Amino acid sequence: MADRSLPTADPRPTVLVRGGTVVDPTGTRRADVLITAGRVAAVEEGMTKPRGAVVLEADGCVVAPGLVDLHTHLRQPGREESETIETGTRAASLGGFTAVVAMPNTEPALDSAEAVRNVQELATTASAEVAVAGAITVGRAGERLAPMSEMAALGVRLFTDDGAGVQSAGLMRRALDYARGLGVTLAQHCEDGSLAGHGAMHEGAWSSRLGVPGLPAVAEEVMVARDIALTRAVGGRIHFLHLSTAASVELVRRAKSEGVAVTAEAAPHHFSLTDGCASGYDPVFKVNPPLRPQCDVDGVKAGLADGTIDAIATDHAPHSPELKDLPFDQAPPGMLGLQTALSLATTELDLPLAQVLALLSWQPAAIGGLDPSNGGGQGGPITAGSAANLCVIDPGANWTVEPASLASRSRNSPYLGRTLTGRVRHTVFRGEPVVIDAEAQR
Ligand code: DOR
C-alpha cells in the first residue's frame, strides 16, 4: 500500500472521515474514508490517521455520496439581492449538497451559450458543483426554441423553462424531438396557463374560505398527461419538476409501467406542508405549484415510497424580503429549501435512510447526468479512486431552523422555528471539507 503520509503537490488537505457507516448505491458498511487530492484514497475500517490529516468525526453518523439537487434557483445573474451563486452554494453545502442544477429563470434567462458560460465561470469558486439547466425556449417565452445544441456542447444536460411550462404542445413536441437527437432531457414545469390563470394558492376549500384566487390541481395534471403522450409518440426523455398532486403521481406511475421514459421529482414542501398553512395569508407559504391538501401530500409520499417519484428536489427559491413581504396575492411564489431538505425527508418520510439517500443523491445525479456513468463525480459508490464528494449525516441529531443558521441571502423559509431530526454534520466537496460540524468553512 502507498505511504499515506506522503505530501502531494495538490493543495487540498488529506482528510480522514472516521468512525461512520458508509451508505452508497452499493449498500451499507462500517468504514473510515481517506481522501487525498480530491479523491477517495481508501475505504477501510479502523484506519490510522495520516500525519497532518484533517479528521472529520463520524461516530454514529452515515457517510454518503453528496446530495444532488435537480432544482435550485441561484438568482444570478439579475436577482443578486435575493441570492448569489456564492451564497446559494454555501446553503447547498450546509444542506449536504455537493451539486445543484441551476434553474435558467434568471434575468436574463439562461437561453444561450454565452449565458451558460457566464454562470459556469461565476461558479468556479462555488462551494458545490453548479450544473446549469438551459432554457427550452428563447427568453423562456414559449415561442421559439432556444439554441439547445450550443448549450449542450457546454455540458448542459437538462433543459427547462421552469417558472412556466411550455404551453404549446406543438412546440413541446419539436423540443422533445430536438432533445432526443442531442441526448439531453427536458424538465417540465407542469402548469397549463389557461387553467392556472392568476391563481395564488391551491383551488379548494381553503382558497374559497380565504378569498384567494385558486390554482387548480388539473392545471398541473393536464400538462403531465400531455407530455407523457408526447414522449410516448416522439421518444426522448422527460423529467417532471415538483409534482404536487396525487393524480399527477398516478399518471407517472402508469406511464412508467408502460415503459415511457419519464422521471419525476417532488419538493419537500409538497410532502411536509398543506394548503391550510396559508390560512393566515403569510406569503412564506406561497409557492408554485401551490401547497395542496392532505390527500395530495399522501399521494406524493406514496410516490416517493414506491419509486414512482425518482428524486427529492428542493425548488430552493429565495426572494428578498422587499418582495416576499408583499400581500399574499402580490408576493412572488417560492421558498428556501437547500438547508432543510434532508432533515425534512428524514423527519417526515417513513423511509429507510438508504432510500432517502437514493432520492436525494444517486437517483437525481443520474437524471442530471452528473453520476459516474455519465462521466461525473456525483452520487457514485464511495470506493478508492472515486471523486470525493461526500456528506456526513447525523440521523439522530435534532436542530431548530433559525434565521442565523441560513446561508441564503433571503429568509423565506416556512420552517423557521421548527425542530427537525437528522442533520448534515460535514460536507466534502472535491476533497475539501466545506462544512465541518454544521459550520460553513468558506
Ligand atoms: O415557487 C416557485 N418559485 N415556483 C417556480 O416554479 C419558480 C420559483 C421561482 O423562481 O421563484
Side-chain angles (χ1 to χ4, degrees), residues 73 75 105 162-163 189 242 286-289 315 317 319 333-335:
H73 296 276
R75 303 291 189 227
N105 64 336
D162 182 56
H189 170 124
H242 45 45
K286 183 174 176 182
V287 64
N288 207 0
D315 197 2
H319 290 292
M335 41 182 71

Side-chain angles (χ1 to χ4, degrees), residues 71-73 75 103 105-106 140 161-164 189 191 241-242 269-270 286-290 315-319 324 332-335 412:
H71 200 142
T72 303
H73 296 276
R75 303 291 189 227
M103 290 290 113
N105 64 336
T106 48
R140 299 174 44 255
D161 276 0
D162 182 56
H189 170 124
E191 183 179 315
L241 301 167
H242 45 45
H269 44 269
H270 289 128
K286 183 174 176 182
V287 64
N288 207 0
D315 197 2
H316 178 84
H319 290 292
K324 202 56 183 169
M335 41 182 71
N412 55 310

Side-chain angles (χ1 to χ4, degrees), residues 18 20 41 45 58 82 108 112 130 135 149 151 167 178 206 222 227 237 253 264 323 362-363 376 378 380 385 418 421:
R18 188 161 65 186
E45 233 180 314
S82 297
S112 67
V130 175
S149 64
M151 293 186 268
Q167 299 299 310
Y178 195 22
W206 274 109
V222 293
D227 284 0
R237 283 195 304 268
R253 187 176 285 119
L323 291 173
W362 43 98
Q363 288 172 188
Q378 303 287 345
R418 220 158 119 172
T421 304

Side-chain angles (χ1 to χ4, degrees), residues 217-241:
V218 73
E220 174 174 307
E221 292 149 5
V222 293
M223 197 171 279
V224 174
R226 182 199 79 177
D227 284 0
I228 288 170
L230 288 173
T231 308
R232 187 185 281 116
V234 177
R237 283 195 304 268
I238 194 149
H239 174 70
F240 292 120
L241 301 167

Side-chain angles (χ1 to χ4, degrees), residues 256-283:
K256 283 188 165 186
S257 76
E258 292 164 4
V260 187
V262 298
T263 54
E265 67 181 41
H269 44 269
H270 289 128
F271 62 71
S272 60
L273 302 171
T274 63
D275 57 347
C277 292
S279 62
Y281 299 96
D282 185 343

